[in-house]
Amino acid sequence: MNLQQTELPAPSADARAASAALTDIIAAEIAVRGGWISFARYMELALYAPGLGYYAGGSRKFGVEGDFLTAPELTPLFGQALARQVAQILAASSPRLIEAGAGSGRLAADLLPALAALGCLPERYQILELSGELRARQQATLADHAPEYADRVEWLDQLPQRFSGCLIGNELLDAMPTHALRWSAEVGKESEPAVLEGGIGIADGRLVVAERPASGALLEAAQALQVSPPYRGEISLAARSWVSELARRLDRGALLLIDYGLPRHELYHPQRDGGSLRCHYRHRVHEDPFWFPGLSDITSHVDFTAVAEAGFDAGLEVLGYVSQANFLLNCGIGELMLGQRVGAGDTASADTNAADLRARGAVNVLLSPNEMGELFKVIALGRGMPAPLLGFARGDRVHAL
């Protein structure tokens, strides 16, 4: 790994104890499964093991006091701009909005009043959230910032069997378990490059990286990629499966998925040998997913070509694919920021001017190609929707998927 552990803040004694307990659970599963589990399974346990996984534990993840900032944490203008696209989808389908993985609840608290102002308040705002700790935080955020809409919000334990309306997934796919792979220069069966799957074993009482030949659906997906061995990268079968399952359940409406990633030909470019796995801890990025399991977020870049294929193969239309910057500009974030400044009037106080400067700084982070503007992409998959959707009117890159 490129980053030494000493560069990260030392976890508290309680955090170390929780990580040790999770490590014991992982080790026990490795033993039960014959001495090996895939990296995807390790990532699933590290992030979602009940009570101890990163998203299932009690530590604060989002915001200044957490490990990273999401777009809704930066400024409410993100949610206000997104609301314009959501309103168009709801008007053309059904007044039902689902947010999958709502984080701190900040996006919901911004979207609801923005949709009300647009005259397109959903009858139901449903949050798909499996973490009890995050549900509690979402409820607190909504109580503080949007209490008048609390009666419209409900939490789901699983996806509905059928639905029409709009589903939002903001920074969701990147945290789905991914398989780690190595394409070897050695030739395997049928003259194909040997493909090895990275996993976890135990040696001398410690977790160690161990490889096995890839097989089944994972091997098929790996062999379909145009890579030049030797090469290392990741494939998230979980993200593909999730999108496919959503697509089968959608009667009319659209999925809006916002995340950092690339189309396949860029993600698996020879210069990206080594993969895209990254970990986040106290606003620091590191590359060691085995550093105190359960204390760091673990992510990988989204293969947006695979996302588009999963939706298309399940019957959805790819409605658009743009950078986050283009999406927000198409949705009028510039006008919203200008309206916020004009609304302050000539009698703006020093506090108002400071808030204006913060808002401009946050919007710059959302739009700048060196920040989130180009790194993050937005893809829309849907059925029975008007074209073009507002957020994809300019700068659409569907041809590049």
Side-chain angles (χ1 to χ4, degrees), residues 69-81:
L69 287 170
T70 62
E73 307 290 334
L74 288 170
T75 172
L77 292 171
F78 176 83
Q80 292 167 18

Side-chain angles (χ1 to χ4, degrees), residues 17-370:
S19 178
L22 177 58
T23 301
D24 288 343
I25 291 174
I26 294 170
E29 176 152 340
I30 292 172
V32 168
R33 296 200 179 194
W36 188 88
I37 60 172
S38 68
F39 180 82
R41 178 55 179 162
Y42 168 82
M43 183 173 171
E44 182 179 5
L45 290 170
L47 295 181
Y48 304 108
L52 293 171
Y54 180 77
Y55 285 106
S59 65
R60 184 172 290 267
K61 288 86 179 171
F62 310 95
V64 176
E65 298 177 0
D67 297 310
F68 54 89
L69 287 170
T70 62
E73 307 290 334
L74 288 170
T75 172
L77 292 171
F78 176 83
Q80 292 167 18
L82 178 59
R84 294 183 171 187
Q85 178 60 89
V86 172
Q88 182 189 19
I89 294 169
L90 296 183
S93 57
S94 178
R96 182 181 187 182
L97 179 56
I98 301 175
E99 185 180 356
S104 68
R106 185 70 239 193
L107 182 57
D110 293 334
L111 272 175
L112 283 163
L115 288 168
L118 293 170
C120 200
L121 193 62
E123 293 177 0
R124 288 184 290 172
Y125 192 117
Q126 297 176 309
I127 297 177
L128 178 63
E129 182 59 70
L130 303 182
S131 166
E133 183 270 332
L134 287 179
R135 282 193 183 197
R137 185 171 178 192
Q138 291 155 12
Q139 290 164 351
T141 299
L142 288 163
D144 288 342
H145 299 284
E148 62 271 38
Y149 305 106
D151 60 340
R152 295 177 185 265
V153 182
E154 61 184 54
W155 278 261
L156 304 176
D157 295 315
Q158 58 186 359
L159 291 169
Q161 289 300 313
R162 309 295 307 176
F163 75 97
S164 292
C166 180
L167 182 141
I168 298 171
N170 181 50
E171 294 197 48
L172 176 71
L173 296 178
D174 66 274
M176 289 191 176
T178 189
H179 294 270
L181 295 166
R182 180 169 67 89
W183 286 257
S184 171
E186 300 176 3
V187 176
K189 295 180 179 180
E190 300 178 1
S191 300
E192 292 279 357
V195 182
L196 301 174
E197 180 180 8
I200 316 300
I202 300 177
D204 298 325
R206 301 181 62 182
L207 302 181
V208 295
V209 176
E211 293 181 326
R212 288 188 176 183
S215 61
L218 181 61
L219 179 59
E220 290 181 16
Q223 291 176 335
L225 298 177
Q226 300 297 315
V227 300
S228 300
Y231 190 87
R232 291 182 182 272
E234 300 88 34
I235 294 177
S236 177
L237 296 181
R240 301 180 185 196
S241 177
W242 189 80
V243 171
S244 179
E245 188 59 38
L246 275 176
R248 284 192 286 268
R249 297 175 186 229
L250 179 66
D251 291 323
R252 183 181 179 89
L255 318 177
L256 284 176
L257 305 174
I258 308 166
D259 228 310
Y260 54 87
L262 295 163
R264 180 173 296 154
H265 69 279
E266 294 182 31
L267 183 60
Y268 298 101
H269 190 277
Q271 293 180 347
R272 293 188 178 276
D273 177 25
S276 63
L277 278 174
R278 298 293 182 270
C279 305
H280 301 266
Y281 180 74
R282 298 294 181 263
H283 296 279
R284 291 166 173 81
V285 178
H286 68 97
E287 299 177 0
D288 187 356
F290 309 111
W291 182 83
F292 290 106
L295 300 191
S296 295
D297 188 21
I298 307 173
T299 69
S300 66
H301 278 41
V302 174
D303 177 356
F304 277 103
T305 306
V307 170
E309 289 174 345
F312 183 80
D313 290 346
L316 296 188
E317 181 183 357
V318 181
L319 302 173
Y321 169 69
V322 296
S323 68
Q324 177 175 281
N326 277 328
F327 178 81
L328 293 174
L329 289 170
N330 288 338
C331 290
I333 195 169
E335 300 165 13
L336 290 166
M337 184 170 64
L338 180 61
Q340 184 182 75
R341 295 174 64 188
V342 170
D346 296 331
T347 60
S349 66
D351 287 343
T352 301
N353 289 330
D356 176 52
L357 288 173
R358 287 194 297 272
R360 281 188 283 174
V363 170
N364 183 61
V365 171
L366 296 178
L367 301 182
S368 171
N370 295 323

